[in-house]
Amino acid sequence: MTRRSTFTDQSVTYGAIGATLAPDLLRYPPAGYRPSEDAVRLGSGLERFERAAEALMTWGIQRGSGFEVSDISTGTGAQYPGIVYDAEGAPLADQPAPRIEERFGADGTPYIAPGMTATLERKKRFGSEKTPVLIVYVIDEPQRLGFAYGTTADGPESGEESFIVEHRDDDTVWLTIRSIFATTGVTAPMQRKRRRELTRLELRALHPAGGV
């Protein structure tokens, strides 16, 4: 059974918290948001899955795609349970309990956990761009591990992005990235182009050929 927990110990800049879990996200995104879904095969086997999952849950995608991750702190606010759906898009009758156990990488780095906050900083040609984020949910299953964060401050983008590593029944290992972002103003076309370029970097961050 899926175990998922969602916390809102501070405000995010969008209303559709957990939208990246919706099976029909690409067909019916929240109004005003552009949805995206991309996947890449990372290899095969349990060892590849475990290695990719550990890197994912210790900010490996963000660091591997050029971000400096700072101001990491654990949230302590109220739980927001949300709704978990089955493969057909129907809400599960038995909704999962919150994920409460702490996990750590081999080097002692704490795994990303619900309610955690951080600042993602990426260098630009002139200066840098900082994006404060909140971990809005964590997926922790025997064959699926991942998380999503949402934006918590005004900026060029507003929305949510999820990263899930999956060990499928055919023994292959996949990374799936889903997002909903709203971009506004005269820079919106440029922001959308940068978002696609960033997604390509994120997809490569855990790949054996260029990542872990």
Side-chain angles (χ1 to χ4, degrees):
M1 180 173 64
T2 303
R3 292 176 294 165
R4 179 170 71 90
S5 52
T6 308
F7 290 77
T8 54
D9 59 346
Q10 68 180 72
S11 297
V12 290
T13 60
Y14 62 104
I17 299 173
T20 50
L21 285 170
D24 56 358
L25 172 68
L26 297 182
R27 292 181 61 193
Y28 303 107
Y33 289 81
R34 294 175 65 92
S36 176
E37 177 177 313
D38 296 274
V40 63
R41 179 176 170 176
L42 302 179
S44 302
L46 180 60
E47 182 178 356
R48 167 51 48 190
F49 169 70
E50 291 177 341
R51 188 171 179 181
E54 179 176 330
L56 171 69
M57 298 305 292
T58 53
W59 302 99
I61 283 185
Q62 286 67 44
R63 293 189 171 105
S65 55
F67 285 101
E68 178 181 336
V69 184
S70 62
D71 304 325
I72 300 173
S73 63
T74 301
T76 59
Q79 177 178 323
Y80 176 88
I83 298 175
V84 179
Y85 300 86
D86 63 19
E88 284 71 44
L92 293 178
D94 183 12
Q95 291 291 309
R99 177 180 183 273
I100 57 174
E101 70 276 10
E102 287 187 297
R103 298 179 65 179
F104 299 87
D107 63 355
T109 300
Y111 270 31
I112 290 169
M116 184 176 285
T117 59
T119 298
L120 307 181
E121 182 176 3
R122 196 156 187 254
K123 301 298 182 182
K124 299 171 64 177
R125 180 175 298 179
F126 301 104
S128 63
E129 184 175 274
K130 294 184 178 182
T131 304
V133 297
L134 167 71
I135 303 302
V136 295
Y137 67 77
V138 165
I139 297 288
D140 186 0
E141 301 173 22
Q143 292 181 271
R144 293 174 72 231
L145 204 66
F147 66 94
Y149 58 60
T151 54
T152 64
D154 291 337
E157 290 184 320
S158 175
E160 181 177 298
E161 188 169 21
S162 70
F163 310 86
I164 296 176
V165 169
E166 179 182 11
H167 188 195
R168 297 183 179 176
D169 291 340
D170 63 0
D171 203 35
T172 59
V173 178
W174 290 80
L175 166 67
T176 300
I177 299 176
R178 306 181 96 205
S179 67
I180 53 164
F181 282 106
T183 53
T184 59
V186 296
T187 64
M190 180 62 68
Q191 288 295 330
R192 289 194 289 268
K193 180 180 178 181
R194 290 181 60 198
R195 168 55 51 185
R196 293 305 304 161
E197 292 171 350
L198 176 57
T199 299
R200 285 192 286 270
L201 291 175
E202 292 172 335
L203 288 167
R204 292 200 296 264
L206 299 186
H207 197 280
V212 298

